[in-house]
Amino acid sequence: MRAARANRGKAAKRKPAKHIKTKGRLVSLMSAHGQLIIGLSLVAVVFLCFANALRNEFVFDDIYLVSVNKQIHTLNLPLLLSSYRPLRDISYAIDFSLWGENPFGFHLTNILIHAANVLLVFGLIQRLTKDLVSATLTALIFAVHPLQTEAVTYISGRRDVLFTLFYILAFQSYLTYYRSRWSVKAVACFLLFLLLWLLSLLSKEMAVSLPILIFVWHFCDAWDVGTESFGRNVLQTLKRTLNRDKWFWMLLSLAGIAFTAYWVLIKKASHRVGFGAFEYWGGSFYLNMLTVTRVHAWYLKQLVYPTPIAQYLGAFEISESLFDWRFLVSVVVVGVVLVYGFLLLKRDRLMAFAIFSYFAFLLPVSQLIPHHELLADHYLYLPMMSFGLFVSLLVKRIGSSGVISLKALYFLAGVAVIILAVMTIIQNRTWKDERTLWSSNYKAVPNSPRAALNLGNTYQYTEPQKAEELFKRALALKPTPAIERTLYDRLVVILINERKSDEAEFYVAQVLKESPRDFFGNLWLSQIYMLRKDCDKARSYLSFAQTVAGNPREVQLSETATRQLEQQCGK
């Protein structure tokens, strides 16, 4: 009987072998053809959503990083060494060599990199889920979510799209290395992983989270649904995860610590950190973390109900008490999401990975090392992949339960994607120019001194009275010293032009009180005394301004002022 069964088994295997082989090739070809169509469709969707951004101008930091930045006019070694994000600056230099000072080309590069990232997200999620539909939905959410505009539509958002490109490639390389270990291919993939991670770090410091992402992936993969208690299972899984690659964790941890020290202490990437000094939000680590918990709850809100804001300075009050209702609500929201992630480990480890990877991506910007930007929508650019993965898996899970048909759920998801895409197209207009950007930001964050200052700048030469009103409003909002100093300068110029010498002198006095040798303070005071026809004092302050002039622009301004003084008072 065994021999007969064995012969029948061999015959069964031999007989359909050709058919199975042919069928396998057909399925493979269909799959490859389907992936190509989906890939092209995803790229088309990206361009449909962001095409209207191609006509936008340079705005906000674009002006300093690109428009007036002479360093990007040539590709050279100093460009690589002078910035803590050198790869971003090199990409700007390449754009400048192709397009000159035309913002169209810089916008086009951002969109192209974003399209490449969408394809990479699609490929990674398909690899993890083995499901084209889930991969497609994840990629669509990543592609069209309106929070992505700050990274894609804003030229200075190049840092986010660029680091994400190399980050996902590095993670893919690591997965290939790990699944083909102890082979020549594994060695090549590991070296490629290190190179890609380095390129990601040189694009933006958030890439330092990659080892944490890999740890989270191993943790979810190593989870074993057993009879042990939950706490013991967590400890056992942590132990198994660490034992998988001890030397690897040591290498990556040392590399991450070294880069963070270089980024923070040498390159001065954060204005709130110095040697031995951390300026936490609220003045202490305790208040800092109360506030950060609220920030994370806000991010979760932004994912499901997006209200994009260009910058948040002045929008977020520091929490000062454990019993602040905003903190209490936030800790419940964030806590529920994290607990749900652990509960999912027993049912769907990939959904759990989506939740934990989201928080892993955000760890570098969670103010453990304080940064001068408390929160920003562009921080969610890469974490959007985790959100998209979670949504696509949740849709599939609910559909499989039979509560709602899977087709109905995918239809609703498609409608949601269309709504998000329309919101993105509308949001692109916000970044059209300085006026549209800061009008929108001031409307969203009326208590932001930065928004009032920058909106006032757009009116300074066309409607000076409106600019004056906005500058005074910004001063009333208790701005940072840097913004306050700028406001004094802007107001003095307007007031001098309006021949309001007494009021102008008041603001100049504020500047000179902090810095008596300030060039502009002495120059403006000279202008004020010219208005009063006090030639001796005007000459005295102008002479002093000339002695402290520190750059060609200041020298040029002092020469112009000298000619004005000679015309009015004689030599």
Side-chain angles (χ1 to χ4, degrees):
M1 289 181 65
R2 285 183 181 175
R5 281 198 300 269
N7 289 333
R8 284 198 300 271
K10 289 178 182 178
K13 287 179 182 178
R14 282 196 301 269
K15 189 173 181 181
K18 187 174 180 181
H19 171 68
I20 291 172
K21 191 173 181 181
T22 304
K23 185 178 179 181
R25 283 178 180 174
L26 182 62
V27 170
S28 178
L29 285 169
M30 288 176 65
S31 177
H33 185 64
Q35 288 180 48
L36 178 62
I37 292 173
I38 292 171
L40 292 173
S41 300
L42 288 171
V43 171
V45 166
V46 168
F47 274 89
L48 283 172
C49 281
F50 291 97
N52 65 330
L54 290 169
R55 296 172 292 177
N56 290 0
E57 299 175 7
F58 293 119
V59 295
F60 198 13
D61 285 343
D62 297 348
I63 296 164
Y64 306 103
L65 292 173
V66 180
S67 185
V68 299
N69 185 5
K70 303 299 182 185
Q71 284 189 312
I72 68 165
H73 290 188
T74 55
L75 274 167
N76 50 40
L77 187 60
L79 190 63
L80 182 64
L81 301 176
S82 62
S83 170
Y84 68 96
R85 292 172 179 167
L87 212 60
R88 175 202 62 185
D89 291 351
I90 288 171
S91 74
Y92 287 151
I94 293 171
D95 275 345
F96 186 84
S97 68
L98 294 172
W99 304 97
E101 296 181 0
N102 186 352
F104 173 89
F106 291 85
H107 284 297
L108 179 61
T109 300
N110 271 29
I111 295 170
L112 287 171
I113 298 173
H114 180 55
N117 288 339
V118 170
L119 295 178
L120 289 174
V121 167
F122 171 75
L124 176 61
I125 302 306
Q126 189 191 3
R127 181 176 189 173
L128 296 177
T129 63
K130 304 294 188 293
D131 180 12
L132 273 176
V133 178
S134 294
T136 303
L137 181 55
T138 302
L140 281 171
I141 293 171
F142 180 86
V144 307
H145 200 287
L147 290 185
Q148 304 294 63
T149 55
E150 191 174 352
V152 184
T153 308
Y154 180 35
I155 293 170
S156 295
R158 179 76 56 87
R159 63 209 164 188
D160 295 282
V161 294
L162 199 58
F163 105 81
T164 296
L165 176 77
F166 296 114
Y167 193 106
I168 298 175
L169 285 170
F171 186 53
Q172 284 274 35
S173 298
Y174 174 80
L175 293 178
T176 304
Y177 146 77
Y178 187 77
R179 289 169 179 171
S180 57
R181 298 174 71 190
W182 316 119
S183 66
V184 175
K185 181 182 179 181
V187 173
C189 286
F190 183 73
L191 293 175
L192 181 61
F193 158 76
L194 292 178
L195 173 63
L196 290 166
W197 186 34
L198 176 62
L199 294 174
S200 188
L201 287 168
L202 294 176
S203 302
K204 190 180 180 182
E205 56 283 355
M206 274 184 75
V208 77
S209 68
L210 184 53
I212 303 168
L213 174 72
I214 293 171
F215 186 88
V216 166
W217 179 76
H218 276 297
F219 180 86
C220 294
D221 186 59
W223 185 269
D224 183 24
V225 180
T227 56
E228 296 176 340
S229 67
F230 180 79
R232 188 173 178 80
N233 210 346
V234 170
L235 292 174
Q236 291 295 329
T237 305
L238 286 171
K239 185 177 179 180
R240 284 194 296 271
T241 303
L242 289 170
N243 286 337
R244 282 188 174 188
D245 243 339
K246 288 181 181 178
W247 67 269
F248 176 79
W249 300 125
M250 290 178 61
L251 173 66
L252 263 63
S253 298
L254 290 172
I257 292 169
F259 175 79
T260 301
Y262 170 79
W263 169 67
V264 172
L265 300 176
I266 307 300
K267 285 298 184 180
K268 308 291 185 184
S270 173
H271 301 163
R272 289 179 166 265
V273 177
F275 283 95
F278 279 28
E279 186 186 344
Y280 285 110
W281 291 90
S284 69
F285 184 76
Y286 166 68
L287 297 181
N288 182 85
M289 296 320 293
L290 292 184
T291 306
V292 168
T293 303
R294 285 176 47 221
V295 169
H296 277 290
W298 174 262
Y299 285 153
L300 291 169
K301 190 282 301 180
Q302 286 288 73
L303 293 173
V304 297
Y305 181 67
T307 54
I309 298 176
Q311 64 84 45
Y312 283 86
L313 186 63
F316 235 78
E317 294 179 8
I318 303 300
S319 285
E320 297 181 351
S321 169
L322 189 66
F323 302 103
D324 181 346
W325 70 268
R326 296 166 301 183
F327 166 74
L328 294 174
V329 171
S330 299
V331 80
V332 169
V333 171
V334 175
V336 165
V337 173
L338 286 170
V339 168
Y340 185 52
F342 279 103
L343 293 176
L344 280 170
L345 285 168
K346 296 180 179 180
R347 305 171 186 174
D348 192 325
R349 288 181 292 180
L350 203 51
M351 282 186 77
F353 173 72
I355 291 175
F356 296 142
S357 63
Y358 166 82
F359 287 102
F361 290 139
L362 286 172
L363 198 59
V365 290
S366 295
Q367 305 298 328
L368 298 174
I369 298 175
H371 189 254
H372 49 269
E373 196 170 26
L374 176 62
L375 71 161
D377 287 341
H378 63 83
Y379 289 160
L380 292 171
Y381 180 75
L382 177 56
M384 192 65 68
M385 176 177 70
S386 298
F387 174 67
L389 174 60
F390 179 81
V391 170
S392 64
L393 293 175
L394 183 64
V395 167
K396 189 175 181 180
R397 188 177 183 84
I398 294 173
S400 301
S401 69
V403 177
I404 306 175
S405 73
L406 199 55
K407 287 183 178 179
L409 283 169
Y410 282 133
F411 173 77
L412 292 175
V415 171
V417 166
I418 292 171
I419 293 171
L420 291 173
V422 171
M423 291 174 68
T424 293
I425 293 169
I426 294 170
Q427 181 64 13
N428 288 335
R429 299 174 188 170
T430 297
W431 297 90
K432 183 178 182 297
D433 55 39
E434 285 283 282
R435 179 71 59 83
T436 58
L437 175 63
W438 294 111
S439 294
S440 172
N441 193 233
Y442 186 65
K443 182 178 179 181
V445 193
N447 292 327
S448 169
R450 181 192 284 167
L453 164 63
N454 288 331
L455 181 57
N457 286 340
T458 69
Y459 289 106
Q460 187 170 3
Y461 300 108
T462 56
E463 299 179 53
Q465 289 185 337
K466 190 165 186 176
E468 181 183 343
E469 179 186 331
L470 286 163
F471 292 153
K472 289 179 177 178
R473 162 72 175 157
L475 278 174
L477 293 170
K478 298 180 180 179
T480 62
I483 291 178
E484 184 180 57
R485 175 67 178 80
T486 303
L487 285 165
Y488 288 150
D489 274 346
R490 299 288 192 274
L491 277 168
V492 167
V493 171
I494 291 173
L495 293 168
I496 288 174
N497 289 335
E498 293 177 346
R499 309 185 73 81
K500 297 178 180 177
S501 60
D502 291 343
E503 193 175 354
E505 187 176 11
F506 169 79
Y507 291 111
V508 172
Q510 305 304 312
V511 174
L512 294 178
K513 185 192 299 184
E514 295 295 325
S515 179
R517 294 178 58 83
D518 182 82
F519 168 79
F520 285 101
N522 285 280
L523 180 67
W524 301 149
L525 208 51
S526 170
Q527 298 282 309
I528 289 168
Y529 281 108
M530 270 196 274
L531 283 177
R532 295 171 178 170
K533 302 187 184 304
D534 190 337
C535 296
D536 290 338
K537 285 189 176 180
R539 284 195 185 94
S540 175
Y541 282 108
L542 179 56
S543 177
F544 187 77
Q546 288 172 328
T547 63
V548 296
N551 58 59
R553 178 171 176 264
E554 291 177 355
V555 171
Q556 184 181 9
L557 286 171
S558 64
E559 289 174 351
T560 302
T562 300
R563 288 192 293 271
Q564 291 174 349
L565 184 60
E566 289 174 352
Q567 289 173 3
Q568 180 171 316
C569 300
K571 293 187 179 181

